[in-house]
Amino acid sequence: MSTFWRLVPWLTRLLLLAAAALFFMIGMKYLGNPVKHAAADAITLGSVMAISRMRVGFGGFPLALSIILLGCAVSRARVLTGLVVLATTVAVVTAARLVGIVVDGPAEEAIRILRVEVILLVLAVASVLLERAQRRRGERIPPRAV
């Protein structure tokens, strides 16, 4: 087995852990102080319900995703599942960002974030392909429940 193929399980898990950390930081940021972070983008939250929706949508969902990705990263049997969840999530987010840029115009920050999302999407899709290839090669111990 080549060195590259021995590193693949670690690289794919590293990507899952990095993405879990990213979504955890995003989630905690909005969970902790949604009014402050909304105001940074000139969003005014005019009611308790608006604050709650920001907390749930921008805090709760990314935090839940980070926990799912973390669980997949620590389970040998669920690494591929986690990578597919990550790739799907980032693809949808990237598509939504592109729609926003087309409909609303290309804000400088939106373009900057789009670049990061595209890089993460490419890494996620490449990791899915590598994980599948490695499983086809038969070099990995068959998945088992952890």
Side-chain angles (χ1 to χ4, degrees), residues 75-123:
S75 170
R76 173 174 34 170
R78 291 185 181 89
V79 169
L80 182 58
T81 301
L83 293 169
V84 170
V85 167
L86 176 61
T88 303
T89 301
V90 177
V92 171
V93 168
T94 302
R97 176 100 42 219
L98 285 168
V99 168
I101 289 170
V102 169
V103 171
D104 306 324
E108 184 178 325
E109 186 171 354
I111 300 296
R112 183 182 59 79
I113 294 171
L114 177 65
R115 288 183 187 125
V116 173
E117 290 166 349
V118 168
I119 290 168
L120 184 56
L121 179 58
V122 167
L123 290 173

Coordinates of all heavy atoms in Angstrom, one line a residue, residues 75-123:
S75 N -16.1 7.8 13.7 CA -16.6 6.5 13.4 C -16.1 6.0 12.1 O -16.4 6.6 11.0 CB -18.1 6.5 13.4 OG -18.6 5.2 12.9
R76 N -15.3 5.0 12.1 CA -14.7 4.5 10.8 C -15.8 4.1 9.8 O -15.6 4.4 8.6 CB -13.8 3.3 11.2 CG -13.3 2.5 10.0 CD -12.4 1.4 10.4 NE -12.7 0.8 11.7 CZ -12.1 -0.3 12.1 NH1 -11.2 -0.9 11.4 NH2 -12.5 -0.8 13.3
A77 N -16.9 3.6 10.3 CA -18.0 3.2 9.4 C -18.8 4.4 8.8 O -19.5 4.2 7.9 CB -18.9 2.3 10.1
R78 N -18.6 5.6 9.4 CA -19.4 6.7 9.0 C -18.6 7.8 8.3 O -19.2 8.9 8.1 CB -20.2 7.3 10.2 CG -21.2 6.3 10.7 CD -22.0 6.9 11.8 NE -23.0 5.9 12.3 CZ -22.8 5.0 13.2 NH1 -21.7 4.9 13.8 NH2 -23.8 4.1 13.5
V79 N -17.4 7.6 8.1 CA -16.6 8.7 7.4 C -17.2 9.1 6.1 O -17.3 10.3 5.8 CB -15.1 8.3 7.3 CG1 -14.3 9.2 6.4 CG2 -14.5 8.2 8.7
L80 N -17.5 8.1 5.2 CA -18.0 8.4 3.9 C -19.4 9.1 4.0 O -19.6 10.1 3.3 CB -18.2 7.1 3.1 CG -18.8 7.3 1.7 CD1 -17.9 8.3 0.9 CD2 -18.9 6.0 1.0
T81 N -20.2 8.7 5.0 CA -21.5 9.4 5.2 C -21.3 10.8 5.6 O -21.9 11.7 5.1 CB -22.3 8.7 6.3 OG1 -22.5 7.3 5.9 CG2 -23.6 9.4 6.6
G82 N -20.3 11.1 6.5 CA -20.0 12.5 6.9 C -19.5 13.3 5.7 O -19.9 14.5 5.6
L83 N -18.7 12.7 4.9 CA -18.2 13.4 3.7 C -19.3 13.8 2.7 O -19.3 14.9 2.1 CB -17.1 12.6 3.0 CG -15.8 12.5 3.8 CD1 -14.9 11.4 3.1 CD2 -15.1 13.8 4.0
V84 N -20.2 12.9 2.5 CA -21.4 13.1 1.7 C -22.3 14.2 2.3 O -22.7 15.1 1.5 CB -22.2 11.8 1.4 CG1 -23.5 12.1 0.7 CG2 -21.3 10.9 0.6
V85 N -22.5 14.2 3.6 CA -23.3 15.2 4.2 C -22.6 16.6 4.1 O -23.2 17.6 3.7 CB -23.5 14.9 5.7 CG1 -24.0 16.1 6.5 CG2 -24.4 13.7 5.9
L86 N -21.3 16.6 4.3 CA -20.5 17.8 4.1 C -20.6 18.3 2.7 O -20.9 19.5 2.5 CB -19.1 17.6 4.5 CG -18.1 18.8 4.3 CD1 -18.6 20.0 5.2 CD2 -16.7 18.4 4.7
A87 N -20.3 17.5 1.7 CA -20.4 17.9 0.3 C -21.8 18.4 -0.1 O -21.9 19.4 -0.8 CB -20.0 16.7 -0.6
T88 N -22.8 17.7 0.3 CA -24.2 18.1 0.0 C -24.5 19.5 0.6 O -25.0 20.4 0.0 CB -25.2 17.1 0.5 OG1 -24.8 15.8 -0.1 CG2 -26.6 17.5 0.2
T89 N -24.1 19.7 1.9 CA -24.4 20.9 2.6 C -23.7 22.1 2.0 O -24.3 23.1 1.7 CB -24.0 20.8 4.1 OG1 -24.7 19.7 4.7 CG2 -24.2 22.1 4.8
V90 N -22.4 21.9 1.7 CA -21.6 23.0 1.1 C -22.1 23.3 -0.3 O -22.1 24.4 -0.8 CB -20.1 22.7 1.2 CG1 -19.3 23.7 0.5 CG2 -19.7 22.5 2.6
A91 N -22.5 22.2 -1.1 CA -23.0 22.5 -2.4 C -24.3 23.3 -2.4 O -24.4 24.3 -3.2 CB -23.3 21.1 -3.1
V92 N -25.2 23.0 -1.5 CA -26.4 23.8 -1.4 C -26.1 25.2 -0.9 O -26.7 26.2 -1.5 CB -27.4 23.1 -0.4 CG1 -28.6 24.0 -0.1 CG2 -27.9 21.8 -1.0
V93 N -25.3 25.4 0.1 CA -24.9 26.7 0.5 C -24.2 27.5 -0.6 O -24.5 28.7 -0.8 CB -24.0 26.6 1.8 CG1 -23.4 27.9 2.1 CG2 -24.8 26.1 3.0
T94 N -23.3 26.9 -1.3 CA -22.6 27.6 -2.4 C -23.6 28.0 -3.5 O -23.6 29.1 -4.1 CB -21.5 26.7 -3.0 OG1 -20.6 26.3 -1.9 CG2 -20.8 27.4 -4.1
A95 N -24.6 27.1 -3.8 CA -25.6 27.4 -4.8 C -26.4 28.6 -4.4 O -26.7 29.5 -5.1 CB -26.5 26.2 -5.1
A96 N -26.8 28.6 -3.1 CA -27.6 29.7 -2.5 C -26.8 31.0 -2.6 O -27.3 32.1 -2.9 CB -28.0 29.4 -1.1
R97 N -25.5 30.9 -2.3 CA -24.6 32.1 -2.4 C -24.6 32.6 -3.8 O -24.6 33.8 -4.1 CB -23.2 31.8 -1.9 CG -22.2 32.9 -2.0 CD -22.0 33.7 -0.8 NE -21.8 32.9 0.4 CZ -22.3 33.3 1.6 NH1 -22.9 34.4 1.7 NH2 -22.1 32.5 2.6
L98 N -24.4 31.7 -4.8 CA -24.4 32.1 -6.2 C -25.7 32.8 -6.6 O -25.7 33.8 -7.4 CB -24.1 30.9 -7.1 CG -22.6 30.4 -7.1 CD1 -22.5 29.0 -7.8 CD2 -21.7 31.4 -7.8
V99 N -26.8 32.2 -6.2 CA -28.1 32.8 -6.5 C -28.2 34.2 -5.9 O -28.6 35.2 -6.6 CB -29.3 32.0 -6.0 CG1 -30.6 32.7 -6.0 CG2 -29.4 30.7 -6.8
G100 N -27.7 34.4 -4.7 CA -27.7 35.7 -4.1 C -26.8 36.7 -4.8 O -27.2 37.9 -5.0
I101 N -25.7 36.2 -5.3 CA -24.8 37.1 -6.1 C -25.4 37.5 -7.4 O -25.4 38.7 -7.8 CB -23.4 36.4 -6.3 CG1 -22.7 36.4 -4.9 CG2 -22.6 37.2 -7.4 CD1 -21.4 35.5 -5.0
V102 N -26.1 36.6 -8.1 CA -26.8 36.9 -9.3 C -28.0 37.8 -9.1 O -28.1 38.8 -9.8 CB -27.2 35.6 -10.0 CG1 -28.1 35.9 -11.2 CG2 -26.0 34.8 -10.5
V103 N -28.8 37.5 -8.1 CA -30.0 38.3 -7.9 C -29.7 39.6 -7.2 O -30.3 40.7 -7.6 CB -31.0 37.5 -7.0 CG1 -32.2 38.3 -6.6 CG2 -31.5 36.2 -7.8
D104 N -28.9 39.6 -6.2 CA -28.6 40.8 -5.4 C -27.4 41.6 -5.8 O -27.3 42.8 -5.3 CB -28.5 40.4 -3.9 CG -29.7 39.6 -3.4 OD1 -30.8 39.9 -3.9 OD2 -29.5 38.7 -2.6
G105 N -26.5 41.0 -6.5 CA -25.3 41.7 -6.9 C -24.1 41.2 -6.1 O -24.3 40.6 -5.0
P106 N -22.9 41.4 -6.7 CA -21.7 40.8 -6.1 C -21.1 41.6 -5.0 O -20.2 42.4 -5.2 CB -20.8 40.7 -7.3 CG -21.2 41.8 -8.2 CD -22.7 42.0 -8.0
A107 N -21.5 41.5 -3.8 CA -20.9 42.2 -2.7 C -19.5 41.6 -2.5 O -19.3 40.4 -2.6 CB -21.7 42.0 -1.4
E108 N -18.5 42.4 -2.1 CA -17.1 42.0 -1.9 C -17.0 40.8 -1.0 O -16.3 39.8 -1.2 CB -16.3 43.2 -1.5 CG -14.8 42.8 -1.4 CD -14.0 44.0 -1.0 OE1 -14.3 45.1 -1.3 OE2 -13.0 43.8 -0.2
E109 N -17.7 40.9 0.2 CA -17.6 39.8 1.2 C -18.3 38.5 0.7 O -17.8 37.5 0.9 CB -18.3 40.3 2.5 CG -18.0 39.2 3.6 CD -18.5 39.7 5.0 OE1 -18.9 40.8 5.1 OE2 -18.4 38.8 5.9
A110 N -19.4 38.7 -0.1 CA -20.0 37.5 -0.6 C -19.1 36.7 -1.6 O -19.0 35.5 -1.6 CB -21.3 37.9 -1.4
I111 N -18.3 37.5 -2.4 CA -17.3 36.9 -3.3 C -16.2 36.2 -2.5 O -15.8 35.1 -2.8 CB -16.8 37.9 -4.3 CG1 -17.9 38.6 -5.1 CG2 -15.6 37.3 -5.1 CD1 -18.6 37.6 -6.0
R112 N -15.8 36.8 -1.5 CA -14.7 36.3 -0.6 C -15.2 35.0 0.0 O -14.5 34.0 0.0 CB -14.3 37.3 0.5 CG -13.1 36.8 1.3 CD -12.8 37.8 2.4 NE -13.9 38.1 3.3 CZ -14.3 37.3 4.4 NH1 -13.7 36.2 4.6 NH2 -15.3 37.7 5.1
I113 N -16.4 35.0 0.6 CA -16.9 33.8 1.2 C -17.2 32.7 0.2 O -16.9 31.5 0.4 CB -18.2 34.1 2.0 CG1 -17.9 35.0 3.2 CG2 -18.9 32.8 2.5 CD1 -19.1 35.6 3.9
L114 N -17.6 33.1 -1.0 CA -17.9 32.1 -2.1 C -16.6 31.4 -2.4 O -16.6 30.1 -2.7 CB -18.4 32.8 -3.4 CG -18.6 31.9 -4.6 CD1 -19.7 30.9 -4.3 CD2 -18.9 32.8 -5.8
R115 N -15.5 32.1 -2.5 CA -14.2 31.4 -2.8 C -13.9 30.3 -1.7 O -13.5 29.2 -2.1 CB -13.1 32.4 -2.8 CG -13.1 33.3 -4.0 CD -11.9 34.3 -4.0 NE -12.0 35.2 -5.0 CZ -12.0 36.5 -4.9 NH1 -11.8 37.1 -3.7 NH2 -12.1 37.3 -5.9
V116 N -14.1 30.6 -0.5 CA -13.9 29.6 0.6 C -14.8 28.5 0.4 O -14.4 27.3 0.6 CB -14.0 30.3 2.0 CG1 -13.9 29.3 3.1 CG2 -12.9 31.4 2.2
E117 N -16.1 28.7 0.1 CA -17.1 27.7 0.0 C -16.7 26.8 -1.2 O -16.9 25.5 -1.1 CB -18.5 28.3 -0.2 CG -19.0 28.9 1.1 CD -20.2 29.8 0.8 OE1 -20.6 30.1 -0.3 OE2 -20.8 30.2 1.9
V118 N -16.2 27.3 -2.3 CA -15.9 26.5 -3.4 C -14.7 25.6 -3.1 O -14.7 24.5 -3.5 CB -15.6 27.4 -4.7 CG1 -14.9 26.6 -5.8 CG2 -16.9 28.1 -5.2
I119 N -13.7 26.2 -2.4 CA -12.6 25.4 -2.0 C -13.0 24.2 -1.1 O -12.6 23.1 -1.3 CB -11.5 26.2 -1.3 CG1 -10.8 27.2 -2.3 CG2 -10.5 25.4 -0.5 CD1 -10.0 28.3 -1.6
L120 N -13.9 24.5 -0.1 CA -14.4 23.5 0.8 C -15.2 22.4 0.0 O -15.1 21.2 0.2 CB -15.2 24.1 1.9 CG -15.7 23.1 3.0 CD1 -14.6 22.4 3.6 CD2 -16.5 23.9 4.0
L121 N -16.0 22.9 -1.0 CA -16.7 22.0 -1.8 C -15.8 21.0 -2.6 O -16.0 19.8 -2.7 CB -17.7 22.7 -2.7 CG -18.5 21.9 -3.7 CD1 -19.4 20.9 -2.9 CD2 -19.4 22.8 -4.6
V122 N -14.8 21.6 -3.2 CA -13.9 20.8 -4.0 C -13.2 19.8 -3.1 O -13.0 18.6 -3.5 CB -12.8 21.7 -4.7 CG1 -11.7 20.9 -5.3 CG2 -13.5 22.5 -5.8
L123 N -12.7 20.2 -1.9 CA -12.1 19.3 -1.0 C -13.1 18.2 -0.5 O -12.7 17.0 -0.4 CB -11.6 20.0 0.2 CG -10.4 20.9 0.0 CD1 -10.0 21.7 1.2 CD2 -9.2 20.1 -0.5

